[in-house]
Amino acid sequence: MAKDIYELTEIPDVGVVPPKMYAQLIRPERFGDPTKAFQLEQVQVPEIGPREVLVYVMAAGVNYNNVWAALGIPIDVIGIRNRKGEPERFHIGGSDASGIVWAVGKDVKNVKVGDEVVTHCGWWNHDDPHVVAGKDPMFAPSQLIWGYETNWGSFAQFTKVQDHMCLPKPQHLNWEEAAAYMLVGATAYRMLHGWKGNEVKPGEPVLIWGGAGGLGSMAIQIVKAAGGRAVAVVNGDANSDKAQFCKKLGAVGTINRKDFNHWGMLPHWKDETGYRAWQEGAKAFGKAFWNALGEKKNPTIVFEHPGEDTVPTSIFVCETGGMVVICAGTTGYNATIDLRYHWMKQKRFQGSHFANDEQCKGINDLVIEKKVDPCMSKVFQFNETAACHQLMKENKHPNGNMSILVNAKKTGLKTLSESR
Ligand SMILES: NC(=O)c1ccc[n+]([C@@H]2O[C@H](COP(=O)([O-])OP(=O)(O)OC[C@H]3O[C@@H](n4cnc5c(N)ncnc54)[C@H](OP(=O)(O)O)[C@@H]3O)[C@@H](O)[C@H]2O)c1
């Protein structure tokens, strides 16, 4: 078995930056399954700019975005950066990290060398006129996702982030727990709290797809913290491990998606037989929602990410004036909607993507207050970076979120001094 990096290097003195580091690299000639795409290589430690921070990575979180990066679809992140003038023909992924500030650019004021931090993945230019004007930076033309669209992510001994991306590490968490929640947690926070007029409210029912997954596990807890009532969809009956996991997080009920077979794009409305069959499936799903909730009420928010398979149903079951909020299309990108339900019932179909600084602070505060658990279910060694992404691609990964130990020598460590 390949050696882990802590067998190959010792923790340097704080602030001493070596010229080279180990990293898990994706290269274009290896695009494909994660087991083929990721490989341990040695590269130079990146230089940082005036508002940038070099973080010594103790642990990294695993997210679906680097499954996409490995596959090279729907975008080739390396090719895009090369066309913009970045010379590196490789991608260092990783959009979640816990670690220690090791170097700061000359204009960084919010963190200092030695600080223990978690990092969020919202990247934008400080001098972008949109950002300077004080508008939501997630709408800025320069906005990118660090460790996916940008290089030098957290699957490396050192990662390069912008100053505003650093947040205090919740002290009660160990490195691997602290690395697990930010990307999915902040995304879910924006989806549930960020869209004015349709924010989650006390007592209101919310439908959450993939409740046992990374996003879903965060969404259930955020809804509960806001006093809402989450119903989670899982691939399993009420006694299944996934359903029980969602209930423990605070879901009031669960729905087994295997009880239905009307998934996929909407049949054409002129296809009477096909359409009626779909409608029966969608109606039965709506009833299953009422049963799980214990009341005949439709969800005022539907928390969407599977996409093509589920959007028609999401729009159908959403309450009048409610919102289907979506951040992904894991099963496909053709979202089909019967506009009759959409306009007559004045529903909102809202795209949402990661989060701004305030929303990242919002989820970090909930974690610090212990209202949201990171749901870190499994820790991998650095040389298992490919393997855990492969599990994710095949939907064989455990409930909640996964982490990778990078410079942390073992699990359970919380501070730098413990980690030496
Ligand atoms: N735009 C953003 O900012 C953003 C941020 C985070 C994640 N994402 C994207 O969101 C998606 C989910 O991320 P994640 O971290 O939650 O992944 P995850 O941990 O794999 O969870 C996704 C869940 O979806 C469920 N699922 C799988 N196939 C399904 C289907 N055909 N119909 C309904 N549900 C299905 C699975 O649960 P069951 O099998 O139990 O139903 C799975 O647990 C990914 O595509 C990711 O890239 C986007």
Side-chain angles (χ1 to χ4, degrees), residues 64-65 68 183-184 187 209-210 212-215 233-235 242 257 305-306 309-310 327-328 330-331 352-354 392 395 397 400:
Y64 217 101
N65 60 1
W68 301 121
L183 184 148
V184 283
T187 303
W209 290 102
L215 283 170
V233 185
V234 292
N235 177 2
K242 286 190 175 194
R257 69 179 167 92
H305 49 91
D309 271 4
T310 52
C327 71
T330 318
T331 64
S352 195
H353 187 45
F354 190 56
M392 192 162 217
N395 197 16
H397 52 307

PDB file of all heavy atoms in Angstrom, residues 64-65 68 183-184 187 209-210 212-215 233-235 242 257 305-306 309-310 327-328 330-331 352-354 392 395 397 400, ligand 1:
ATOM      1  N   TYR A  64     -18.999  15.894  -3.587  1.00  0.00           N
ATOM      2  CA  TYR A  64     -19.309  15.340  -4.901  1.00  0.00           C
ATOM      3  C   TYR A  64     -18.584  16.097  -6.021  1.00  0.00           C
ATOM      4  O   TYR A  64     -18.302  15.545  -7.080  1.00  0.00           O
ATOM      5  CB  TYR A  64     -20.824  15.383  -5.122  1.00  0.00           C
ATOM      6  CG  TYR A  64     -21.326  14.186  -5.879  1.00  0.00           C
ATOM      7  CD1 TYR A  64     -21.936  13.123  -5.220  1.00  0.00           C
ATOM      8  CD2 TYR A  64     -21.178  14.092  -7.253  1.00  0.00           C
ATOM      9  CE1 TYR A  64     -22.376  12.018  -5.916  1.00  0.00           C
ATOM     10  CE2 TYR A  64     -21.606  12.991  -7.958  1.00  0.00           C
ATOM     11  CZ  TYR A  64     -22.207  11.959  -7.292  1.00  0.00           C
ATOM     12  OH  TYR A  64     -22.637  10.859  -7.985  1.00  0.00           O
ATOM     13  N   ASN A  65     -18.230  17.379  -5.757  1.00  0.00           N
ATOM     14  CA  ASN A  65     -17.664  18.176  -6.855  1.00  0.00           C
ATOM     15  C   ASN A  65     -16.369  17.581  -7.406  1.00  0.00           C
ATOM     16  O   ASN A  65     -16.079  17.686  -8.599  1.00  0.00           O
ATOM     17  CB  ASN A  65     -17.490  19.650  -6.454  1.00  0.00           C
ATOM     18  CG  ASN A  65     -16.568  19.871  -5.280  1.00  0.00           C
ATOM     19  OD1 ASN A  65     -15.995  18.935  -4.727  1.00  0.00           O
ATOM     20  ND2 ASN A  65     -16.410  21.127  -4.879  1.00  0.00           N
ATOM     21  N   TRP A  68     -16.937  14.958  -9.940  1.00  0.00           N
ATOM     22  CA  TRP A  68     -17.103  15.587 -11.266  1.00  0.00           C
ATOM     23  C   TRP A  68     -15.745  15.985 -11.841  1.00  0.00           C
ATOM     24  O   TRP A  68     -15.484  15.803 -13.033  1.00  0.00           O
ATOM     25  CB  TRP A  68     -18.005  16.818 -11.190  1.00  0.00           C
ATOM     26  CG  TRP A  68     -19.410  16.577 -10.673  1.00  0.00           C
ATOM     27  CD1 TRP A  68     -19.990  17.159  -9.587  1.00  0.00           C
ATOM     28  CD2 TRP A  68     -20.411  15.706 -11.217  1.00  0.00           C
ATOM     29  NE1 TRP A  68     -21.275  16.708  -9.409  1.00  0.00           N
ATOM     30  CE2 TRP A  68     -21.558  15.811 -10.398  1.00  0.00           C
ATOM     31  CE3 TRP A  68     -20.444  14.838 -12.305  1.00  0.00           C
ATOM     32  CZ2 TRP A  68     -22.729  15.089 -10.648  1.00  0.00           C
ATOM     33  CZ3 TRP A  68     -21.611  14.112 -12.549  1.00  0.00           C
ATOM     34  CH2 TRP A  68     -22.728  14.241 -11.730  1.00  0.00           C
ATOM     35  N   LEU A 183     -18.904  22.897   3.222  1.00  0.00           N
ATOM     36  CA  LEU A 183     -19.456  23.046   1.864  1.00  0.00           C
ATOM     37  C   LEU A 183     -20.937  22.674   1.833  1.00  0.00           C
ATOM     38  O   LEU A 183     -21.775  23.461   1.389  1.00  0.00           O
ATOM     39  CB  LEU A 183     -18.654  22.206   0.860  1.00  0.00           C
ATOM     40  CG  LEU A 183     -19.094  22.371  -0.599  1.00  0.00           C
ATOM     41  CD1 LEU A 183     -17.912  22.218  -1.544  1.00  0.00           C
ATOM     42  CD2 LEU A 183     -20.188  21.405  -0.997  1.00  0.00           C
ATOM     43  N   VAL A 184     -21.255  21.502   2.331  1.00  0.00           N
ATOM     44  CA  VAL A 184     -22.669  21.097   2.284  1.00  0.00           C
ATOM     45  C   VAL A 184     -23.519  21.927   3.250  1.00  0.00           C
ATOM     46  O   VAL A 184     -24.657  22.291   2.942  1.00  0.00           O
ATOM     47  CB  VAL A 184     -22.847  19.579   2.556  1.00  0.00           C
ATOM     48  CG1 VAL A 184     -22.485  18.756   1.341  1.00  0.00           C
ATOM     49  CG2 VAL A 184     -22.084  19.116   3.782  1.00  0.00           C
ATOM     50  N   THR A 187     -24.095  25.479   1.854  1.00  0.00           N
ATOM     51  CA  THR A 187     -24.998  25.392   0.692  1.00  0.00           C
ATOM     52  C   THR A 187     -26.441  25.216   1.169  1.00  0.00           C
ATOM     53  O   THR A 187     -27.362  25.901   0.699  1.00  0.00           O
ATOM     54  CB  THR A 187     -24.605  24.197  -0.208  1.00  0.00           C
ATOM     55  OG1 THR A 187     -23.250  24.347  -0.602  1.00  0.00           O
ATOM     56  CG2 THR A 187     -25.493  24.096  -1.426  1.00  0.00           C
ATOM     57  N   TRP A 209     -34.808  15.975  -0.176  1.00  0.00           N
ATOM     58  CA  TRP A 209     -34.340  14.815  -0.954  1.00  0.00           C
ATOM     59  C   TRP A 209     -32.989  14.372  -0.414  1.00  0.00           C
ATOM     60  O   TRP A 209     -32.198  15.198   0.050  1.00  0.00           O
ATOM     61  CB  TRP A 209     -34.203  15.183  -2.427  1.00  0.00           C
ATOM     62  CG  TRP A 209     -35.534  15.394  -3.102  1.00  0.00           C
ATOM     63  CD1 TRP A 209     -36.109  16.580  -3.405  1.00  0.00           C
ATOM     64  CD2 TRP A 209     -36.446  14.376  -3.543  1.00  0.00           C
ATOM     65  NE1 TRP A 209     -37.331  16.373  -4.006  1.00  0.00           N
ATOM     66  CE2 TRP A 209     -37.559  15.030  -4.105  1.00  0.00           C
ATOM     67  CE3 TRP A 209     -36.430  12.978  -3.517  1.00  0.00           C
ATOM     68  CZ2 TRP A 209     -38.646  14.338  -4.633  1.00  0.00           C
ATOM     69  CZ3 TRP A 209     -37.509  12.286  -4.050  1.00  0.00           C
ATOM     70  CH2 TRP A 209     -38.596  12.969  -4.598  1.00  0.00           C
ATOM     71  N   GLY A 210     -32.714  13.072  -0.498  1.00  0.00           N
ATOM     72  CA  GLY A 210     -31.412  12.538  -0.068  1.00  0.00           C
ATOM     73  C   GLY A 210     -31.095  12.910   1.367  1.00  0.00           C
ATOM     74  O   GLY A 210     -29.993  13.375   1.664  1.00  0.00           O
ATOM     75  N   ALA A 212     -30.225  11.369   3.939  1.00  0.00           N
ATOM     76  CA  ALA A 212     -29.070  10.756   4.614  1.00  0.00           C
ATOM     77  C   ALA A 212     -27.754  11.165   3.979  1.00  0.00           C
ATOM     78  O   ALA A 212     -26.681  10.772   4.439  1.00  0.00           O
ATOM     79  CB  ALA A 212     -29.207   9.233   4.596  1.00  0.00           C
ATOM     80  N   GLY A 213     -27.803  11.968   2.923  1.00  0.00           N
ATOM     81  CA  GLY A 213     -26.579  12.388   2.241  1.00  0.00           C
ATOM     82  C   GLY A 213     -25.943  13.606   2.901  1.00  0.00           C
ATOM     83  O   GLY A 213     -26.397  14.076   3.951  1.00  0.00           O
ATOM     84  N   GLY A 214     -24.911  14.120   2.260  1.00  0.00           N
ATOM     85  CA  GLY A 214     -24.177  15.255   2.812  1.00  0.00           C
ATOM     86  C   GLY A 214     -25.056  16.488   2.960  1.00  0.00           C
ATOM     87  O   GLY A 214     -25.186  17.058   4.054  1.00  0.00           O
ATOM     88  N   LEU A 215     -25.679  16.920   1.859  1.00  0.00           N
ATOM     89  CA  LEU A 215     -26.552  18.093   1.913  1.00  0.00           C
ATOM     90  C   LEU A 215     -27.754  17.837   2.804  1.00  0.00           C
ATOM     91  O   LEU A 215     -28.131  18.668   3.634  1.00  0.00           O
ATOM     92  CB  LEU A 215     -27.072  18.422   0.506  1.00  0.00           C
ATOM     93  CG  LEU A 215     -26.140  19.124  -0.458  1.00  0.00           C
ATOM     94  CD1 LEU A 215     -26.757  19.126  -1.850  1.00  0.00           C
ATOM     95  CD2 LEU A 215     -25.854  20.546  -0.003  1.00  0.00           C
ATOM     96  N   VAL A 233     -36.455  12.187   2.294  1.00  0.00           N
ATOM     97  CA  VAL A 233     -36.593  11.067   1.368  1.00  0.00           C
ATOM     98  C   VAL A 233     -35.307  10.251   1.415  1.00  0.00           C
ATOM     99  O   VAL A 233     -34.210  10.828   1.391  1.00  0.00           O
ATOM    100  CB  VAL A 233     -36.835  11.561  -0.078  1.00  0.00           C
ATOM    101  CG1 VAL A 233     -37.110  10.382  -1.001  1.00  0.00           C
ATOM    102  CG2 VAL A 233     -37.971  12.566  -0.124  1.00  0.00           C
ATOM    103  N   VAL A 234     -35.448   8.944   1.506  1.00  0.00           N
ATOM    104  CA  VAL A 234     -34.279   8.062   1.504  1.00  0.00           C
ATOM    105  C   VAL A 234     -34.565   6.834   0.641  1.00  0.00           C
ATOM    106  O   VAL A 234     -35.709   6.563   0.282  1.00  0.00           O
ATOM    107  CB  VAL A 234     -33.879   7.583   2.929  1.00  0.00           C
ATOM    108  CG1 VAL A 234     -33.361   8.716   3.777  1.00  0.00           C
ATOM    109  CG2 VAL A 234     -35.043   6.883   3.627  1.00  0.00           C
ATOM    110  N   ASN A 235     -33.505   6.107   0.394  1.00  0.00           N
ATOM    111  CA  ASN A 235     -33.604   4.864  -0.347  1.00  0.00           C
ATOM    112  C   ASN A 235     -33.708   3.729   0.683  1.00  0.00           C
ATOM    113  O   ASN A 235     -32.743   3.035   0.929  1.00  0.00           O
ATOM    114  CB  ASN A 235     -32.337   4.779  -1.208  1.00  0.00           C
ATOM    115  CG  ASN A 235     -32.236   3.512  -1.989  1.00  0.00           C
ATOM    116  OD1 ASN A 235     -33.120   2.673  -1.944  1.00  0.00           O
ATOM    117  ND2 ASN A 235     -31.137   3.366  -2.702  1.00  0.00           N
ATOM    118  N   LYS A 242     -30.774   4.348   6.907  1.00  0.00           N
ATOM    119  CA  LYS A 242     -30.844   5.726   6.397  1.00  0.00           C
ATOM    120  C   LYS A 242     -32.006   6.486   7.037  1.00  0.00           C
ATOM    121  O   LYS A 242     -31.868   7.640   7.436  1.00  0.00           O
ATOM    122  CB  LYS A 242     -31.010   5.728   4.875  1.00  0.00           C
ATOM    123  CG  LYS A 242     -29.744   5.366   4.131  1.00  0.00           C
ATOM    124  CD  LYS A 242     -29.900   5.609   2.639  1.00  0.00           C
ATOM    125  CE  LYS A 242     -28.583   5.347   1.927  1.00  0.00           C
ATOM    126  NZ  LYS A 242     -28.530   5.855   0.578  1.00  0.00           N
ATOM    127  N   ARG A 257     -38.054   6.264  -1.327  1.00  0.00           N
ATOM    128  CA  ARG A 257     -38.241   6.578  -2.754  1.00  0.00           C
ATOM    129  C   ARG A 257     -38.391   5.313  -3.608  1.00  0.00           C
ATOM    130  O   ARG A 257     -38.852   5.377  -4.746  1.00  0.00           O
ATOM    131  CB  ARG A 257     -37.137   7.492  -3.268  1.00  0.00           C
ATOM    132  CG  ARG A 257     -35.746   6.907  -3.375  1.00  0.00           C
ATOM    133  CD  ARG A 257     -34.796   7.954  -3.936  1.00  0.00           C
ATOM    134  NE  ARG A 257     -33.399   7.597  -3.802  1.00  0.00           N
ATOM    135  CZ  ARG A 257     -32.701   6.950  -4.729  1.00  0.00           C
ATOM    136  NH1 ARG A 257     -33.269   6.588  -5.857  1.00  0.00           N
ATOM    137  NH2 ARG A 257     -31.420   6.670  -4.526  1.00  0.00           N
ATOM    138  N   HIS A 305     -31.860  18.495  -5.148  1.00  0.00           N
ATOM    139  CA  HIS A 305     -30.535  18.342  -5.771  1.00  0.00           C
ATOM    140  C   HIS A 305     -30.447  17.148  -6.712  1.00  0.00           C
ATOM    141  O   HIS A 305     -29.624  17.172  -7.609  1.00  0.00           O
ATOM    142  CB  HIS A 305     -29.422  18.288  -4.710  1.00  0.00           C
ATOM    143  CG  HIS A 305     -29.702  17.320  -3.596  1.00  0.00           C
ATOM    144  ND1 HIS A 305     -29.303  16.021  -3.632  1.00  0.00           N
ATOM    145  CD2 HIS A 305     -30.388  17.467  -2.435  1.00  0.00           C
ATOM    146  CE1 HIS A 305     -29.707  15.400  -2.518  1.00  0.00           C
ATOM    147  NE2 HIS A 305     -30.378  16.247  -1.779  1.00  0.00           N
ATOM    148  N   PRO A 306     -31.349  16.093  -6.589  1.00  0.00           N
ATOM    149  CA  PRO A 306     -31.232  15.011  -7.581  1.00  0.00           C
ATOM    150  C   PRO A 306     -31.506  15.505  -9.013  1.00  0.00           C
ATOM    151  O   PRO A 306     -30.875  15.054  -9.960  1.00  0.00           O
ATOM    152  CB  PRO A 306     -32.276  13.988  -7.129  1.00  0.00           C
ATOM    153  CG  PRO A 306     -32.514  14.286  -5.681  1.00  0.00           C
ATOM    154  CD  PRO A 306     -32.342  15.777  -5.552  1.00  0.00           C
ATOM    155  N   ASP A 309     -34.545  13.389 -12.225  1.00  0.00           N
ATOM    156  CA  ASP A 309     -35.440  12.315 -11.755  1.00  0.00           C
ATOM    157  C   ASP A 309     -36.579  12.829 -10.885  1.00  0.00           C
ATOM    158  O   ASP A 309     -37.644  12.219 -10.837  1.00  0.00           O
ATOM    159  CB  ASP A 309     -34.639  11.297 -10.912  1.00  0.00           C
ATOM    160  CG  ASP A 309     -34.043  10.194 -11.765  1.00  0.00           C
ATOM    161  OD1 ASP A 309     -34.192  10.264 -13.001  1.00  0.00           O
ATOM    162  OD2 ASP A 309     -33.430   9.275 -11.193  1.00  0.00           O
ATOM    163  N   THR A 310     -36.356  13.904 -10.162  1.00  0.00           N
ATOM    164  CA  THR A 310     -37.285  14.274  -9.079  1.00  0.00           C
ATOM    165  C   THR A 310     -37.964  15.639  -9.236  1.00  0.00           C
ATOM    166  O   THR A 310     -38.988  15.874  -8.580  1.00  0.00           O
ATOM    167  CB  THR A 310     -36.529  14.252  -7.727  1.00  0.00           C
ATOM    168  OG1 THR A 310     -35.358  15.048  -7.852  1.00  0.00           O
ATOM    169  CG2 THR A 310     -36.142  12.837  -7.335  1.00  0.00           C
ATOM    170  N   CYS A 327     -29.804  22.980  -6.050  1.00  0.00           N
ATOM    171  CA  CYS A 327     -28.379  23.323  -6.161  1.00  0.00           C
ATOM    172  C   CYS A 327     -27.617  22.314  -7.003  1.00  0.00           C
ATOM    173  O   CYS A 327     -26.382  22.368  -7.032  1.00  0.00           O
ATOM    174  CB  CYS A 327     -27.760  23.424  -4.779  1.00  0.00           C
ATOM    175  SG  CYS A 327     -27.588  21.818  -4.003  1.00  0.00           S
ATOM    176  N   ALA A 328     -28.276  21.359  -7.624  1.00  0.00           N
ATOM    177  CA  ALA A 328     -27.540  20.347  -8.404  1.00  0.00           C
ATOM    178  C   ALA A 328     -28.501  19.581  -9.292  1.00  0.00           C
ATOM    179  O   ALA A 328     -29.728  19.705  -9.162  1.00  0.00           O
ATOM    180  CB  ALA A 328     -26.850  19.358  -7.453  1.00  0.00           C
ATOM    181  N   THR A 330     -27.893  15.898  -9.931  1.00  0.00           N
ATOM    182  CA  THR A 330     -27.074  14.676  -9.856  1.00  0.00           C
ATOM    183  C   THR A 330     -27.565  13.601 -10.823  1.00  0.00           C
ATOM    184  O   THR A 330     -26.765  12.864 -11.380  1.00  0.00           O
ATOM    185  CB  THR A 330     -27.075  14.126  -8.406  1.00  0.00           C
ATOM    186  OG1 THR A 330     -26.935  15.220  -7.508  1.00  0.00           O
ATOM    187  CG2 THR A 330     -25.947  13.153  -8.174  1.00  0.00           C
ATOM    188  N   THR A 331     -28.881  13.518 -11.032  1.00  0.00           N
ATOM    189  CA  THR A 331     -29.389  12.465 -11.920  1.00  0.00           C
ATOM    190  C   THR A 331     -29.582  12.967 -13.357  1.00  0.00           C
ATOM    191  O   THR A 331     -29.995  12.193 -14.231  1.00  0.00           O
ATOM    192  CB  THR A 331     -30.758  11.927 -11.419  1.00  0.00           C
ATOM    193  OG1 THR A 331     -31.726  12.992 -11.468  1.00  0.00           O
ATOM    194  CG2 THR A 331     -30.663  11.384 -10.011  1.00  0.00           C
ATOM    195  N   SER A 352     -29.751  27.749  -6.601  1.00  0.00           N
ATOM    196  CA  SER A 352     -28.953  28.205  -5.467  1.00  0.00           C
ATOM    197  C   SER A 352     -27.579  27.555  -5.578  1.00  0.00           C
ATOM    198  O   SER A 352     -27.471  26.396  -5.991  1.00  0.00           O
ATOM    199  CB  SER A 352     -29.643  27.799  -4.157  1.00  0.00           C
ATOM    200  OG  SER A 352     -29.114  28.500  -3.058  1.00  0.00           O
ATOM    201  N   HIS A 353     -26.559  28.302  -5.200  1.00  0.00           N
ATOM    202  CA  HIS A 353     -25.195  27.783  -5.358  1.00  0.00           C
ATOM    203  C   HIS A 353     -24.366  28.251  -4.177  1.00  0.00           C
ATOM    204  O   HIS A 353     -24.379  29.443  -3.845  1.00  0.00           O
ATOM    205  CB  HIS A 353     -24.626  28.314  -6.687  1.00  0.00           C
ATOM    206  CG  HIS A 353     -23.304  27.736  -7.066  1.00  0.00           C
ATOM    207  ND1 HIS A 353     -23.017  26.398  -6.981  1.00  0.00           N
ATOM    208  CD2 HIS A 353     -22.179  28.331  -7.550  1.00  0.00           C
ATOM    209  CE1 HIS A 353     -21.773  26.200  -7.397  1.00  0.00           C
ATOM    210  NE2 HIS A 353     -21.256  27.353  -7.736  1.00  0.00           N
ATOM    211  N   PHE A 354     -23.697  27.338  -3.550  1.00  0.00           N
ATOM    212  CA  PHE A 354     -22.895  27.549  -2.348  1.00  0.00           C
ATOM    213  C   PHE A 354     -23.440  28.683  -1.478  1.00  0.00           C
ATOM    214  O   PHE A 354     -24.638  28.711  -1.173  1.00  0.00           O
ATOM    215  CB  PHE A 354     -21.398  27.719  -2.672  1.00  0.00           C
ATOM    216  CG  PHE A 354     -20.582  27.679  -1.410  1.00  0.00           C
ATOM    217  CD1 PHE A 354     -20.667  26.594  -0.563  1.00  0.00           C
ATOM    218  CD2 PHE A 354     -19.775  28.751  -1.031  1.00  0.00           C
ATOM    219  CE1 PHE A 354     -19.967  26.561   0.638  1.00  0.00           C
ATOM    220  CE2 PHE A 354     -19.071  28.724   0.164  1.00  0.00           C
ATOM    221  CZ  PHE A 354     -19.174  27.629   0.995  1.00  0.00           C
ATOM    222  N   MET A 392     -18.408   7.460  -3.427  1.00  0.00           N
ATOM    223  CA  MET A 392     -19.415   8.507  -3.587  1.00  0.00           C
ATOM    224  C   MET A 392     -20.040   8.424  -4.982  1.00  0.00           C
ATOM    225  O   MET A 392     -21.258   8.522  -5.137  1.00  0.00           O
ATOM    226  CB  MET A 392     -18.756   9.863  -3.367  1.00  0.00           C
ATOM    227  CG  MET A 392     -19.735  10.975  -3.234  1.00  0.00           C
ATOM    228  SD  MET A 392     -18.921  12.380  -2.473  1.00  0.00           S
ATOM    229  CE  MET A 392     -20.238  12.999  -1.464  1.00  0.00           C
ATOM    230  N   ASN A 395     -22.628   5.874  -5.162  1.00  0.00           N
ATOM    231  CA  ASN A 395     -23.658   6.007  -4.114  1.00  0.00           C
ATOM    232  C   ASN A 395     -23.558   4.858  -3.105  1.00  0.00           C
ATOM    233  O   ASN A 395     -24.546   4.335  -2.623  1.00  0.00           O
ATOM    234  CB  ASN A 395     -25.072   6.107  -4.723  1.00  0.00           C
ATOM    235  CG  ASN A 395     -26.109   6.663  -3.736  1.00  0.00           C
ATOM    236  OD1 ASN A 395     -25.754   7.254  -2.701  1.00  0.00           O
ATOM    237  ND2 ASN A 395     -27.383   6.456  -4.024  1.00  0.00           N
ATOM    238  N   HIS A 397     -21.348   5.242  -0.481  1.00  0.00           N
ATOM    239  CA  HIS A 397     -20.682   5.857   0.664  1.00  0.00           C
ATOM    240  C   HIS A 397     -21.619   5.853   1.869  1.00  0.00           C
ATOM    241  O   HIS A 397     -22.838   5.755   1.729  1.00  0.00           O
ATOM    242  CB  HIS A 397     -20.212   7.273   0.320  1.00  0.00           C
ATOM    243  CG  HIS A 397     -21.272   8.155  -0.265  1.00  0.00           C
ATOM    244  ND1 HIS A 397     -22.026   7.802  -1.347  1.00  0.00           N
ATOM    245  CD2 HIS A 397     -21.710   9.385   0.095  1.00  0.00           C
ATOM    246  CE1 HIS A 397     -22.868   8.772  -1.627  1.00  0.00           C
ATOM    247  NE2 HIS A 397     -22.710   9.744  -0.766  1.00  0.00           N
ATOM    248  N   GLY A 400     -24.250  10.768   5.720  1.00  0.00           N
ATOM    249  CA  GLY A 400     -23.581  11.983   6.187  1.00  0.00           C
ATOM    250  C   GLY A 400     -22.371  12.340   5.355  1.00  0.00           C
ATOM    251  O   GLY A 400     -22.397  12.217   4.132  1.00  0.00           O
TER     252      GLY A 400
HETATM  253  N1  LIG B   1     -24.233  23.922  -5.973  1.00  0.00           N
HETATM  254  C1  LIG B   1     -23.700  23.710  -4.810  1.00  0.00           C
HETATM  255  O1  LIG B   1     -23.254  24.642  -4.154  1.00  0.00           O
HETATM  256  C2  LIG B   1     -23.602  22.313  -4.260  1.00  0.00           C
HETATM  257  C3  LIG B   1     -23.116  22.104  -2.977  1.00  0.00           C
HETATM  258  C4  LIG B   1     -23.058  20.811  -2.454  1.00  0.00           C
HETATM  259  C5  LIG B   1     -23.426  19.730  -3.252  1.00  0.00           C
HETATM  260  N2  LIG B   1     -23.858  19.968  -4.525  1.00  0.00           N
HETATM  261  C6  LIG B   1     -24.271  18.825  -5.379  1.00  0.00           C
HETATM  262  O2  LIG B   1     -25.405  18.236  -4.768  1.00  0.00           O
HETATM  263  C7  LIG B   1     -25.462  16.849  -5.076  1.00  0.00           C
HETATM  264  C8  LIG B   1     -25.628  16.058  -3.780  1.00  0.00           C
HETATM  265  O3  LIG B   1     -24.499  16.283  -2.939  1.00  0.00           O
HETATM  266  P1  LIG B   1     -24.333  15.506  -1.563  1.00  0.00           P
HETATM  267  O4  LIG B   1     -23.028  15.896  -1.004  1.00  0.00           O
HETATM  268  O5  LIG B   1     -25.544  15.630  -0.749  1.00  0.00           O
HETATM  269  O6  LIG B   1     -24.219  14.011  -2.111  1.00  0.00           O
HETATM  270  P2  LIG B   1     -24.540  12.666  -1.357  1.00  0.00           P
HETATM  271  O7  LIG B   1     -23.959  12.655   0.011  1.00  0.00           O
HETATM  272  O8  LIG B   1     -24.150  11.591  -2.311  1.00  0.00           O
HETATM  273  O9  LIG B   1     -26.128  12.686  -1.180  1.00  0.00           O
HETATM  274  C9  LIG B   1     -26.990  12.674  -2.280  1.00  0.00           C
HETATM  275  C10 LIG B   1     -28.180  11.814  -1.946  1.00  0.00           C
HETATM  276  O10 LIG B   1     -29.050  11.820  -3.065  1.00  0.00           O
HETATM  277  C11 LIG B   1     -29.831  10.642  -3.012  1.00  0.00           C
HETATM  278  N3  LIG B   1     -30.087  10.157  -4.361  1.00  0.00           N
HETATM  279  C12 LIG B   1     -29.245   9.464  -5.182  1.00  0.00           C
HETATM  280  N4  LIG B   1     -29.867   9.161  -6.333  1.00  0.00           N
HETATM  281  C13 LIG B   1     -31.124   9.667  -6.229  1.00  0.00           C
HETATM  282  C14 LIG B   1     -32.252   9.657  -7.088  1.00  0.00           C
HETATM  283  N5  LIG B   1     -32.213   9.055  -8.302  1.00  0.00           N
HETATM  284  N6  LIG B   1     -33.391  10.252  -6.659  1.00  0.00           N
HETATM  285  C15 LIG B   1     -33.452  10.833  -5.448  1.00  0.00           C
HETATM  286  N7  LIG B   1     -32.416  10.873  -4.591  1.00  0.00           N
HETATM  287  C16 LIG B   1     -31.268  10.304  -4.987  1.00  0.00           C
HETATM  288  C17 LIG B   1     -29.036   9.611  -2.234  1.00  0.00           C
HETATM  289  O11 LIG B   1     -29.813   9.228  -1.116  1.00  0.00           O
HETATM  290  P3  LIG B   1     -30.806   7.967  -1.183  1.00  0.00           P
HETATM  291  O12 LIG B   1     -30.170   6.970  -2.089  1.00  0.00           O
HETATM  292  O13 LIG B   1     -30.916   7.533   0.255  1.00  0.00           O
HETATM  293  O14 LIG B   1     -32.114   8.511  -1.688  1.00  0.00           O
HETATM  294  C18 LIG B   1     -27.828  10.380  -1.705  1.00  0.00           C
HETATM  295  O15 LIG B   1     -27.619  10.152  -0.331  1.00  0.00           O
HETATM  296  C19 LIG B   1     -24.175  16.548  -5.847  1.00  0.00           C
HETATM  297  O16 LIG B   1     -24.452  16.564  -7.235  1.00  0.00           O
HETATM  298  C20 LIG B   1     -23.248  17.708  -5.495  1.00  0.00           C
HETATM  299  O17 LIG B   1     -22.274  17.963  -6.476  1.00  0.00           O
HETATM  300  C21 LIG B   1     -23.978  21.222  -5.031  1.00  0.00           C
END
